Amino acid sequence: MSEAPSVFSRIVSGEIPTTLLAETDRVIAFADINPQAPVHLLVVPKTGEYRDVVALAAGDPSLLAEMVEVASSLAQEHTGGDFRLVFNTGETAGQTVFHVHAHVLGGSLQEGSLGGA
């Protein structure tokens, strides 16, 4: 029995609508619906093949690099270029969707805070 598609797979397929802030052939980006910082965006690969950033780095480092490039571009546009890039890896680390994704956080974050909101 296969797992149900993740919420991100459903967004990628268009089943769940969202406003895309960026899109490449392999990556999409949109605002988080539960922001943890003044700016909280998500960068998600279109493939659901990788559960977390460790699997992605081992399986397709160029896709990981593309995600970081998109995150940097979004941060330039939304935060003047300063940002925090977070990959939660594992349930006890706060990962709730097991389709690798990056959180782009920005907007007057303080050192020592996780999100800043």
Side-chain angles (χ1 to χ4, degrees):
M1 180 178 194
S2 66
E3 277 186 34
S6 74
V7 65
F8 296 147
S9 292
R10 294 172 63 205
I11 290 170
V12 168
S13 74
E15 180 182 341
I16 297 174
T18 192
T19 300
L20 295 182
L21 300 175
E23 183 174 16
T24 70
D25 288 343
R26 303 193 309 156
V27 173
I28 62 170
F30 49 91
D32 193 297
I33 62 168
N34 184 27
Q36 301 299 305
V39 174
H40 188 166
L41 311 174
L42 298 173
V43 179
V44 179
K46 291 181 178 179
T47 178
E49 179 179 354
Y50 304 104
R51 174 181 176 88
D52 57 43
V53 69
V54 175
L56 176 60
D60 193 345
S62 69
L63 180 54
L64 177 56
E66 187 171 335
M67 290 178 68
V68 172
E69 184 179 323
V70 168
S72 177
S73 176
L74 286 167
Q76 192 63 43
E77 181 180 343
H78 293 272
T79 69
D82 294 340
F83 68 107
R84 186 173 293 168
L85 189 61
V86 176
F87 289 89
N88 296 328
T89 302
E91 194 172 329
T92 62
Q95 187 176 7
T96 58
V97 179
F98 294 91
H99 176 142
V100 66
H101 57 286
H103 297 261
V104 179
L105 305 169
S108 301
L109 301 178
Q110 300 300 310
E111 182 69 33
S113 70
L114 292 177

XYZ file of all heavy atoms in Angstrom:
855
model
N 0.845 -1.180 0.000
C 0.000 0.000 0.000
C 0.890 1.242 0.000
O 1.768 1.398 0.826
C -0.893 -0.044 1.241
C -1.808 1.105 1.370
S -2.807 0.845 2.871
C -4.041 2.030 2.594
N 0.665 2.142 -0.921
C 1.502 3.333 -1.027
C 0.958 4.439 -0.137
O -0.224 4.480 0.194
C 1.582 3.808 -2.476
O 0.324 4.246 -2.907
N 1.876 5.345 0.240
C 1.486 6.498 1.048
C 0.668 7.471 0.211
O 0.850 7.582 -0.992
C 2.737 7.223 1.534
C 3.359 6.635 2.748
C 4.514 7.487 3.250
O 4.460 8.737 3.138
O 5.460 6.890 3.753
N -0.209 8.211 0.878
C -0.955 9.276 0.203
C 0.026 10.381 -0.177
O 1.026 10.597 0.501
C -2.035 9.816 1.138
N -0.256 11.104 -1.248
C 0.628 12.217 -1.627
C 0.707 13.256 -0.510
O -0.284 13.538 0.163
C -0.041 12.815 -2.866
C -1.042 11.825 -3.315
C -1.389 10.967 -2.138
N 1.895 13.818 -0.331
C 2.064 14.861 0.687
C 1.327 16.124 0.255
O 0.980 16.302 -0.917
C 3.553 15.180 0.873
O 4.030 15.929 -0.225
N 1.121 17.023 1.197
C 0.490 18.302 0.879
C 1.301 19.029 -0.188
O 0.730 19.675 -1.075
C 0.278 19.161 2.149
C 1.590 19.566 2.778
C -0.574 20.374 1.846
N 2.636 18.895 -0.151
C 3.454 19.575 -1.149
C 3.313 18.930 -2.521
O 3.283 19.632 -3.531
C 4.920 19.637 -0.713
C 5.130 20.464 0.529
C 6.122 20.137 1.425
C 4.350 21.569 0.811
C 6.325 20.888 2.569
C 4.537 22.338 1.953
C 5.532 21.988 2.834
N 3.195 17.614 -2.576
C 2.941 16.945 -3.864
C 1.603 17.397 -4.432
O 1.464 17.596 -5.639
C 2.949 15.427 -3.697
O 4.246 14.968 -3.387
N 0.628 17.595 -3.557
C -0.691 18.041 -3.995
C -0.655 19.498 -4.479
O -1.376 19.862 -5.403
C -1.701 17.836 -2.874
C -1.896 16.333 -2.577
C -2.731 16.068 -1.348
N -4.066 16.589 -1.531
C -4.871 16.952 -0.534
N -4.467 16.863 0.710
N -6.071 17.408 -0.791
N 0.202 20.319 -3.869
C 0.378 21.696 -4.347
C 1.077 21.682 -5.702
O 0.667 22.374 -6.632
C 1.142 22.543 -3.311
C 0.259 22.786 -2.078
C 1.616 23.859 -3.917
C 0.974 23.400 -0.890
N 2.146 20.887 -5.817
C 2.886 20.789 -7.079
C 1.955 20.356 -8.212
O 2.010 20.908 -9.316
C 4.080 19.817 -6.949
C 4.666 19.473 -8.310
C 5.155 20.401 -6.042
N 1.073 19.398 -7.951
C 0.181 18.883 -8.995
C -0.965 19.838 -9.318
O -1.686 19.636 -10.292
C -0.392 17.527 -8.574
O -1.377 17.687 -7.561
N -1.156 20.871 -8.486
C -2.252 21.815 -8.707
C -3.526 21.431 -7.995
O -4.524 22.156 -8.065
N -3.525 20.312 -7.298
C -4.716 19.869 -6.571
C -5.072 20.853 -5.454
O -6.243 21.112 -5.191
C -4.472 18.470 -5.996
C -5.631 17.909 -5.221
C -5.338 16.551 -4.621
O -4.395 15.862 -5.056
O -6.077 16.178 -3.685
N -4.046 21.387 -4.792
C -4.238 22.418 -3.771
C -3.675 23.713 -4.358
O -2.488 23.784 -4.677
C -3.505 22.072 -2.459
C -4.077 20.798 -1.844
C -3.597 23.235 -1.473
C -3.322 20.312 -0.617
N -4.506 24.720 -4.513
C -4.014 25.970 -5.113
C -3.143 26.757 -4.149
O -3.321 26.701 -2.933
C -5.296 26.734 -5.441
C -6.345 26.160 -4.562
C -5.941 24.748 -4.236
N -2.206 27.481 -4.713
C -1.364 28.401 -3.952
C -0.885 29.489 -4.900
O -0.968 29.330 -6.121
C -0.158 27.684 -3.307
O 0.448 28.571 -2.362
C 0.865 27.243 -4.326
N -0.407 30.563 -4.347
C 0.193 31.621 -5.148
C 1.695 31.382 -5.181
O 2.365 31.469 -4.148
C -0.114 33.004 -4.542
O -1.531 33.173 -4.504
C 0.529 34.113 -5.361
N 2.200 31.050 -6.349
C 3.625 30.798 -6.483
C 4.393 32.111 -6.471
O 4.026 33.069 -7.145
C 3.925 30.041 -7.775
C 3.361 28.613 -7.872
C 3.774 27.975 -9.184
C 3.806 27.762 -6.696
N 5.451 32.137 -5.697
C 6.339 33.295 -5.641
C 7.540 33.098 -6.551
O 8.185 34.064 -6.941
C 6.801 33.536 -4.207
C 5.679 33.798 -3.209
C 6.240 33.901 -1.805
C 4.917 35.056 -3.587
N 7.845 31.839 -6.859
C 8.941 31.499 -7.765
C 8.693 30.099 -8.289
O 8.075 29.273 -7.615
C 10.287 31.557 -7.055
N 9.181 29.849 -9.497
C 9.076 28.516 -10.080
C 10.193 28.319 -11.090
O 10.491 29.214 -11.880
C 7.718 28.314 -10.763
C 7.545 26.920 -11.327
C 6.160 26.639 -11.873
O 5.396 27.604 -12.105
O 5.844 25.460 -12.079
N 10.819 27.145 -11.017
C 11.771 26.709 -12.023
C 11.255 25.380 -12.559
O 10.182 24.925 -12.157
C 13.187 26.519 -11.433
O 13.190 25.379 -10.560
C 13.666 27.767 -10.691
N 12.022 24.741 -13.413
C 11.604 23.433 -13.913
C 11.489 22.408 -12.790
O 10.709 21.466 -12.888
C 12.595 22.909 -14.964
C 12.511 23.662 -16.272
O 11.495 24.358 -16.500
O 13.461 23.566 -17.075
N 12.264 22.612 -11.691
C 12.312 21.583 -10.652
C 11.895 22.040 -9.260
O 11.811 21.226 -8.348
C 13.730 21.004 -10.566
C 14.188 20.430 -11.889
C 15.429 19.585 -11.822
N 16.563 20.185 -11.138
C 17.539 19.468 -10.591
N 17.525 18.155 -10.648
N 18.544 20.077 -9.995
N 11.583 23.328 -9.092
C 11.327 23.881 -7.761
C 10.171 24.876 -7.818
O 10.026 25.598 -8.802
C 12.599 24.602 -7.243
C 12.334 25.341 -5.950
C 13.749 23.629 -7.070
N 9.377 24.903 -6.746
C 8.370 25.963 -6.566
C 8.601 26.620 -5.209
O 9.230 26.040 -4.321
C 6.920 25.448 -6.664
C 6.614 24.420 -5.573
C 6.629 24.906 -8.046
C 5.143 24.043 -5.462
N 8.064 27.826 -5.058
C 8.149 28.539 -3.783
C 6.857 29.300 -3.551
O 6.250 29.823 -4.489
C 9.338 29.489 -3.784
N 6.453 29.338 -2.286
C 5.212 30.012 -1.896
C 5.297 30.374 -0.426
O 6.182 29.898 0.299
C 3.991 29.123 -2.182
C 4.121 27.708 -1.669
C 3.677 27.366 -0.415
C 4.710 26.728 -2.456
C 3.801 26.068 0.061
C 4.836 25.429 -1.998
C 4.382 25.094 -0.731
N 4.374 31.216 0.031
C 4.339 31.639 1.433
C 3.826 30.509 2.313
O 2.904 29.773 1.925
C 3.457 32.872 1.589
N 4.402 30.379 3.498
C 3.929 29.399 4.478
C 2.581 29.871 5.020
O 2.416 31.056 5.308
C 4.958 29.275 5.606
C 4.715 28.069 6.494
O 3.645 28.006 7.149
O 5.586 27.190 6.539
N 1.630 28.950 5.168
C 0.299 29.337 5.660
C 0.276 29.540 7.175
O -0.694 30.054 7.710
C -0.803 28.332 5.248
C -0.537 26.956 5.845
C -0.943 28.266 3.740
C -1.715 26.000 5.718
N 1.341 29.138 7.856
C 1.455 29.314 9.300
C 2.812 29.952 9.609
O 3.693 29.305 10.157
C 1.304 27.960 10.010
C 1.310 28.091 11.513
O 0.932 29.127 12.051
N 1.747 27.049 12.185
N 2.988 31.223 9.245
C 4.314 31.836 9.339
C 4.853 31.890 10.765
O 4.130 32.191 11.704
C 4.110 33.236 8.766
C 2.653 33.485 8.834
C 1.968 32.157 8.775
N 6.162 31.612 10.855
C 6.868 31.646 12.128
C 7.849 32.812 12.197
O 8.644 32.891 13.128
C 7.613 30.325 12.340
C 6.707 29.106 12.330
C 5.666 29.147 13.436
O 6.011 29.277 14.601
N 4.395 29.058 13.076
N 7.803 33.674 11.207
C 8.660 34.856 11.137
C 7.940 35.890 10.275
O 7.001 35.546 9.550
C 10.005 34.486 10.520
N 8.363 37.158 10.334
C 7.715 38.172 9.497
C 7.690 37.792 8.011
O 6.718 38.056 7.321
C 8.546 39.424 9.754
C 9.059 39.237 11.151
C 9.352 37.756 11.248
N 8.749 37.175 7.526
C 8.777 36.593 6.183
C 9.028 35.106 6.368
O 10.015 34.712 6.997
C 9.886 37.220 5.301
C 9.991 36.486 3.971
C 9.641 38.697 5.099
N 8.119 34.278 5.871
C 8.265 32.819 5.987
C 7.771 32.194 4.683
O 6.578 32.111 4.431
C 7.470 32.288 7.171
C 7.723 30.839 7.463
N 7.325 30.268 8.644
C 8.334 29.853 6.752
C 7.677 28.985 8.640
N 8.276 28.715 7.490
N 8.738 31.820 3.870
C 8.448 31.237 2.560
C 8.938 29.804 2.537
O 9.838 29.423 3.295
C 9.149 32.048 1.464
C 8.957 33.565 1.536
C 9.803 34.262 0.491
C 7.500 33.926 1.414
N 8.363 28.996 1.650
C 8.779 27.605 1.486
C 9.317 27.404 0.080
O 8.731 27.896 -0.889
C 7.609 26.658 1.721
C 7.009 26.694 3.127
C 5.752 25.832 3.176
C 8.019 26.227 4.156
N 10.413 26.669 -0.022
C 10.981 26.275 -1.306
C 10.893 24.749 -1.352
O 11.430 24.065 -0.473
C 12.439 26.751 -1.462
C 13.004 26.307 -2.806
C 12.522 28.267 -1.312
N 10.187 24.245 -2.371
C 9.839 22.829 -2.432
C 10.203 22.260 -3.802
O 9.797 22.822 -4.821
C 8.311 22.662 -2.211
C 7.881 21.209 -2.293
C 7.884 23.282 -0.887
N 10.936 21.150 -3.833
C 11.181 20.519 -5.130
C 9.888 19.907 -5.672
O 9.029 19.481 -4.900
C 12.227 19.446 -4.846
C 12.203 19.224 -3.387
C 11.606 20.441 -2.749
N 9.776 19.885 -6.970
C 8.581 19.315 -7.586
C 8.518 17.799 -7.435
O 7.438 17.223 -7.509
C 8.509 19.719 -9.060
C 8.230 21.198 -9.236
C 8.148 21.585 -10.695
C 7.823 23.055 -10.873
N 7.772 23.444 -12.299
N 9.637 17.161 -7.201
C 9.648 15.725 -6.964
C 9.437 15.437 -5.480
O 9.967 16.144 -4.628
C 10.970 15.068 -7.424
O 10.912 13.672 -7.125
C 12.193 15.661 -6.741
N 8.680 14.421 -5.193
C 8.486 13.974 -3.818
C 9.417 12.825 -3.459
O 9.236 12.167 -2.446
N 10.430 12.618 -4.268
C 11.334 11.481 -4.107
C 12.157 11.546 -2.820
O 12.527 10.513 -2.268
C 12.278 11.430 -5.311
C 13.295 10.329 -5.284
C 14.176 10.312 -6.521
O 13.925 11.099 -7.480
O 15.119 9.522 -6.526
N 12.437 12.745 -2.327
C 13.345 12.899 -1.192
C 12.581 13.305 0.059
O 11.899 14.317 0.072
C 14.444 13.918 -1.514
C 15.199 13.521 -2.759
C 14.969 14.167 -3.969
C 16.094 12.465 -2.730
C 15.629 13.784 -5.119
C 16.764 12.061 -3.873
C 16.526 12.723 -5.059
O 17.178 12.326 -6.195
N 12.741 12.537 1.097
C 12.042 12.728 2.364
C 12.575 13.943 3.124
O 11.824 14.671 3.754
C 12.212 11.449 3.182
C 11.686 11.486 4.569
C 11.968 10.140 5.252
N 11.557 10.165 6.636
C 10.343 9.855 7.057
N 9.417 9.487 6.205
N 10.052 9.909 8.341
N 13.888 14.139 3.080
C 14.505 15.212 3.859
C 15.772 15.688 3.164
O 16.185 15.136 2.142
C 14.773 14.765 5.302
C 15.655 13.528 5.391
O 16.662 13.435 4.647
O 15.351 12.641 6.202
N 16.404 16.705 3.730
C 17.572 17.320 3.089
C 18.756 16.362 3.028
O 19.561 16.433 2.099
C 17.937 18.657 3.772
C 18.490 18.440 5.171
C 18.895 19.459 2.907
N 18.871 15.445 3.966
C 19.973 14.478 3.934
C 19.820 13.564 2.716
O 20.790 13.331 1.975
C 20.031 13.675 5.248
C 21.087 12.579 5.180
C 20.294 14.609 6.425
N 18.618 13.076 2.487
C 18.363 12.229 1.314
C 18.568 13.023 0.033
O 19.129 12.504 -0.945
C 16.957 11.654 1.375
N 18.134 14.270 0.016
C 18.294 15.108 -1.171
C 19.772 15.360 -1.462
O 20.215 15.241 -2.607
C 17.558 16.439 -0.995
C 17.720 17.453 -2.128
C 17.225 16.894 -3.449
C 17.011 18.746 -1.777
N 20.547 15.701 -0.455
C 21.977 15.971 -0.648
C 22.704 14.750 -1.193
O 23.579 14.875 -2.049
C 22.607 16.432 0.660
N 22.316 13.579 -0.737
C 22.936 12.344 -1.213
C 22.461 11.983 -2.615
O 23.244 11.496 -3.436
C 22.634 11.195 -0.250
N 21.186 12.238 -2.903
C 20.595 11.787 -4.162
C 20.673 12.767 -5.312
O 20.753 12.361 -6.475
N 20.623 14.058 -5.033
C 20.601 15.056 -6.105
C 21.125 16.395 -5.586
O 20.360 17.339 -5.366
C 19.186 15.209 -6.662
C 19.123 15.985 -7.963
O 20.103 16.665 -8.316
O 18.071 15.919 -8.627
N 22.450 16.485 -5.382
C 22.996 17.736 -4.846
C 22.715 18.955 -5.718
O 22.606 20.069 -5.210
C 24.494 17.465 -4.714
C 24.756 16.156 -5.335
C 23.455 15.465 -5.579
N 22.555 18.768 -7.018
C 22.269 19.921 -7.872
C 20.864 20.467 -7.603
O 20.639 21.672 -7.711
C 22.450 19.575 -9.351
O 21.451 18.677 -9.791
N 19.929 19.606 -7.242
C 18.589 20.073 -6.877
C 18.647 20.843 -5.558
O 17.992 21.880 -5.407
C 17.604 18.905 -6.790
C 16.161 19.245 -6.412
C 15.554 20.299 -7.319
C 15.311 17.964 -6.406
N 19.438 20.369 -4.620
C 19.628 21.104 -3.363
C 20.215 22.488 -3.643
O 19.743 23.495 -3.110
C 20.521 20.312 -2.414
C 20.876 20.986 -1.090
C 19.643 21.400 -0.306
C 21.767 20.059 -0.271
N 21.213 22.542 -4.511
C 21.813 23.834 -4.870
C 20.786 24.750 -5.522
O 20.761 25.967 -5.261
C 23.009 23.622 -5.789
N 19.915 24.197 -6.343
C 18.868 24.999 -6.985
C 17.888 25.545 -5.946
O 17.461 26.702 -6.033
C 18.131 24.153 -8.025
C 17.152 24.932 -8.848
C 16.576 24.138 -10.011
O 17.217 23.182 -10.491
O 15.473 24.507 -10.453
N 17.554 24.739 -4.951
C 16.673 25.213 -3.881
C 17.308 26.384 -3.138
O 16.637 27.378 -2.847
C 16.358 24.082 -2.905
C 15.460 23.007 -3.475
S 15.180 21.671 -2.298
C 14.187 22.513 -1.055
N 18.609 26.287 -2.854
C 19.308 27.368 -2.155
C 19.350 28.618 -3.026
O 19.146 29.741 -2.545
C 20.718 26.918 -1.728
C 21.524 28.089 -1.182
C 20.633 25.790 -0.706
N 19.558 28.440 -4.321
C 19.564 29.581 -5.247
C 18.205 30.279 -5.277
O 18.121 31.510 -5.233
C 19.952 29.099 -6.645
C 20.074 30.199 -7.660
C 20.491 29.670 -9.027
O 21.307 28.736 -9.101
O 19.978 30.209 -10.022
N 17.131 29.502 -5.334
C 15.784 30.085 -5.321
C 15.541 30.788 -3.982
O 14.998 31.899 -3.946
C 14.714 29.001 -5.611
C 13.307 29.520 -5.314
C 14.819 28.532 -7.055
N 15.948 30.173 -2.883
C 15.794 30.793 -1.564
C 16.523 32.127 -1.500
O 15.983 33.123 -1.008
C 16.309 29.849 -0.481
N 17.725 32.173 -2.017
C 18.508 33.403 -2.016
C 17.834 34.491 -2.852
O 17.771 35.654 -2.444
C 19.913 33.120 -2.547
O 20.670 34.302 -2.609
N 17.322 34.110 -4.001
C 16.629 35.060 -4.870
C 15.377 35.618 -4.179
O 15.109 36.821 -4.223
C 16.267 34.372 -6.182
O 15.528 35.232 -7.007
N 14.612 34.730 -3.540
C 13.421 35.172 -2.815
C 13.791 36.099 -1.666
O 13.120 37.112 -1.422
C 12.655 33.963 -2.265
C 11.887 33.150 -3.283
C 11.451 31.833 -2.671
C 10.686 33.927 -3.797
N 14.855 35.760 -0.956
C 15.294 36.597 0.161
C 15.722 37.970 -0.339
O 15.447 38.983 0.319
C 16.426 35.920 0.915
N 16.380 38.010 -1.468
C 16.778 39.303 -2.034
C 15.538 40.167 -2.272
O 15.513 41.347 -1.945
C 17.551 39.091 -3.339
C 18.234 40.321 -3.841
C 19.310 40.821 -2.882
O 20.085 40.052 -2.347
N 19.335 42.119 -2.656
N 14.506 39.540 -2.797
C 13.268 40.252 -3.125
C 12.453 40.640 -1.884
O 11.874 41.726 -1.824
C 12.412 39.366 -4.039
C 11.116 39.966 -4.475
C 10.314 39.043 -5.375
O 10.882 38.076 -5.926
O 9.109 39.297 -5.531
N 12.400 39.752 -0.886
C 11.479 39.949 0.243
C 12.131 40.456 1.523
O 11.409 40.935 2.413
C 10.742 38.634 0.541
C 9.814 38.222 -0.552
N 8.508 38.639 -0.616
C 10.019 37.455 -1.651
C 7.944 38.135 -1.708
N 8.834 37.420 -2.342
N 13.447 40.326 1.651
C 14.092 40.714 2.911
C 15.368 41.518 2.699
O 16.133 41.703 3.643
C 14.439 39.477 3.773
O 15.488 38.741 3.129
C 13.239 38.591 4.004
N 15.623 41.947 1.484
C 16.852 42.676 1.214
C 18.082 41.788 1.190
O 19.202 42.283 1.240
N 17.884 40.482 1.153
C 18.991 39.541 1.030
C 19.396 38.835 2.304
O 20.118 37.843 2.258
N 18.928 39.305 3.456
C 19.240 38.637 4.717
C 18.166 37.593 4.992
O 16.966 37.892 4.916
C 19.264 39.630 5.873
C 20.402 40.630 5.762
O 21.370 40.349 5.027
O 20.309 41.690 6.399
N 18.587 36.379 5.330
C 17.602 35.335 5.587
C 18.202 34.190 6.367
O 19.413 34.036 6.459
C 16.983 34.814 4.284
C 17.923 34.044 3.381
C 17.814 32.667 3.268
C 18.892 34.691 2.630
C 18.657 31.955 2.421
C 19.730 33.984 1.781
C 19.612 32.613 1.678
N 17.336 33.395 6.917
C 17.682 32.149 7.581
C 17.075 31.035 6.732
O 15.921 31.129 6.320
C 17.083 32.150 8.987
C 17.487 30.990 9.843
C 16.981 31.192 11.263
N 17.672 32.327 11.862
C 17.303 32.905 13.000
N 16.230 32.486 13.647
N 17.971 33.927 13.482
N 17.845 29.994 6.461
C 17.371 28.855 5.668
C 17.345 27.641 6.578
O 18.375 27.248 7.131
C 18.293 28.624 4.477
C 17.834 27.616 3.434
C 16.515 28.036 2.793
C 18.900 27.443 2.363
N 16.153 27.050 6.749
C 15.975 25.956 7.702
C 15.397 24.742 6.984
O 14.406 24.847 6.255
C 15.015 26.377 8.846
C 14.739 25.213 9.790
C 15.583 27.568 9.600
N 16.032 23.608 7.218
C 15.516 22.307 6.784
C 15.280 21.490 8.046
O 16.239 21.129 8.730
C 16.542 21.563 5.919
C 16.770 22.130 4.564
C 17.733 23.100 4.347
C 16.046 21.661 3.472
C 17.977 23.614 3.086
C 16.279 22.162 2.203
C 17.241 23.138 2.009
N 14.042 21.208 8.388
C 13.757 20.310 9.501
C 13.945 18.880 8.989
O 13.448 18.541 7.916
C 12.330 20.508 10.010
C 12.117 21.892 10.579
O 13.015 22.500 11.124
N 10.908 22.405 10.420
N 14.646 18.067 9.771
C 14.942 16.707 9.337
C 14.560 15.746 10.456
O 15.266 15.628 11.447
C 16.435 16.554 8.975
O 16.734 17.502 7.942
C 16.740 15.163 8.459
N 13.418 15.112 10.302
C 12.925 14.158 11.289
C 11.823 14.733 12.148
O 11.753 15.942 12.388
N 10.976 13.840 12.592
C 9.790 14.231 13.356
C 10.134 14.980 14.638
O 9.522 16.003 14.952
C 8.979 12.976 13.688
C 7.591 13.248 14.170
C 6.758 11.999 14.293
O 6.971 11.052 13.517
O 5.902 11.981 15.187
N 11.145 14.521 15.380
C 11.471 15.188 16.641
C 12.218 16.501 16.428
O 12.430 17.248 17.378
C 12.278 14.265 17.581
O 13.513 13.923 16.953
C 11.487 13.012 17.920
N 12.588 16.786 15.179
C 13.203 18.079 14.843
C 12.181 19.048 14.269
O 12.534 20.134 13.818
C 14.342 17.876 13.857
N 10.911 18.642 14.253
C 9.861 19.537 13.796
C 9.386 19.306 12.379
O 8.537 20.048 11.890
N 9.913 18.276 11.697
C 9.447 18.009 10.332
C 8.070 17.366 10.399
O 7.888 16.340 11.061
C 10.431 17.100 9.588
C 10.070 16.930 8.124
C 11.091 16.101 7.348
O 12.025 15.541 7.913
N 10.891 16.021 6.047
N 7.099 17.971 9.729
C 5.736 17.432 9.721
C 5.309 16.959 8.342
O 4.369 16.182 8.219
C 4.715 18.467 10.238
O 4.794 19.635 9.432
C 4.985 18.823 11.697
N 5.975 17.454 7.299
C 5.705 17.001 5.937
C 6.988 16.351 5.436
O 8.031 16.990 5.379
C 5.299 18.167 5.008
C 5.060 17.670 3.596
C 4.056 18.874 5.549
N 6.901 15.075 5.074
C 8.094 14.321 4.703
C 8.292 14.311 3.190
O 8.376 13.276 2.537
C 8.038 12.929 5.337
C 8.127 13.049 6.830
C 6.987 13.157 7.613
C 9.353 13.151 7.446
C 7.073 13.333 8.977
C 9.460 13.331 8.821
C 8.313 13.418 9.580
N 8.346 15.518 2.675
C 8.694 15.872 1.289
C 9.660 17.029 1.509
O 9.248 18.077 2.007
C 7.421 16.312 0.564
C 7.611 16.787 -0.840
N 6.694 16.481 -1.821
C 8.550 17.541 -1.446
C 7.074 17.044 -2.966
N 8.211 17.703 -2.750
N 10.937 16.824 1.213
C 11.941 17.825 1.564
C 11.487 19.225 1.176
O 10.875 19.418 0.124
C 13.324 17.494 0.948
C 13.296 17.573 -0.551
C 14.410 18.397 1.512
N 11.737 20.176 2.053
C 11.395 21.570 1.792
C 12.258 22.467 2.669
O 12.702 22.064 3.738
C 9.908 21.850 2.038
C 9.444 21.511 3.428
N 9.252 20.203 3.858
C 9.141 22.301 4.487
C 8.838 20.211 5.113
N 8.777 21.473 5.518
N 12.495 23.664 2.185
C 13.291 24.644 2.908
C 12.401 25.785 3.363
O 11.555 26.262 2.604
C 14.405 25.187 2.013
N 12.618 26.207 4.589
C 11.938 27.382 5.128
C 12.872 28.580 4.959
O 14.006 28.556 5.441
C 11.644 27.202 6.620
C 10.722 26.067 6.925
N 9.380 26.251 7.151
C 10.958 24.743 7.039
C 8.817 25.075 7.397
N 9.762 24.140 7.336
N 12.402 29.602 4.288
C 13.143 30.849 4.139
C 12.528 31.830 5.133
O 11.365 32.212 4.993
C 13.041 31.405 2.703
C 13.810 32.713 2.572
C 13.510 30.372 1.687
N 13.301 32.191 6.148
C 12.805 33.048 7.220
C 13.568 34.364 7.204
O 14.792 34.377 7.023
C 13.005 32.372 8.580
C 12.394 30.979 8.731
C 12.892 30.317 9.999
C 10.884 31.051 8.713
N 12.859 35.446 7.407
C 13.523 36.738 7.425
C 12.661 37.798 8.066
O 11.520 37.547 8.448
N 13.232 38.987 8.175
C 12.498 40.113 8.734
C 12.793 40.344 10.192
O 12.026 39.928 11.044
N 13.897 40.941 10.503
C 14.260 41.323 11.875
C 14.335 40.136 12.827
O 13.798 40.180 13.932
C 13.285 42.373 12.417
O 13.293 43.514 11.609
N 15.000 39.070 12.406
C 15.192 37.913 13.287
C 16.331 38.197 14.259
O 17.291 38.873 13.916
C 15.525 36.668 12.458
C 14.490 36.260 11.419
C 14.971 35.058 10.636
C 13.156 35.978 12.073
N 16.206 37.666 15.434
C 17.228 37.841 16.455
C 18.075 36.579 16.570
O 17.559 35.472 16.475
C 16.585 38.146 17.815
C 15.751 39.403 17.818
C 16.568 40.637 17.453
O 17.620 40.884 18.011
N 16.077 41.402 16.479
N 19.375 36.737 16.779
C 20.258 35.603 17.025
C 19.721 34.840 18.229
O 19.324 35.430 19.231
C 21.683 36.086 17.307
C 22.671 34.977 17.536
C 22.959 34.162 16.289
O 22.944 34.742 15.184
O 23.181 32.954 16.418
N 19.684 33.531 18.132
C 19.202 32.707 19.218
C 17.728 32.360 19.121
O 17.247 31.468 19.806
N 16.994 33.065 18.263
C 15.576 32.722 18.080
C 15.473 31.711 16.954
O 16.304 31.692 16.045
C 14.753 33.961 17.728
O 15.060 34.412 16.426
N 14.472 30.870 16.992
C 14.292 29.901 15.931
C 13.560 30.510 14.748
O 13.907 30.308 13.616
C 13.562 28.654 16.422
C 14.365 27.811 17.396
C 13.531 26.636 17.877
C 15.634 27.331 16.768
N 12.488 31.240 15.020
C 11.728 31.819 13.931
C 11.643 33.330 14.005
O 11.689 34.003 13.010
N 11.498 33.836 15.180
C 11.472 35.284 15.349
C 10.088 35.888 15.406
O 9.955 37.075 15.593
N 9.046 35.073 15.216
C 7.697 35.632 15.223
C 7.179 35.777 16.640
O 7.600 35.130 17.543
C 6.737 34.762 14.420
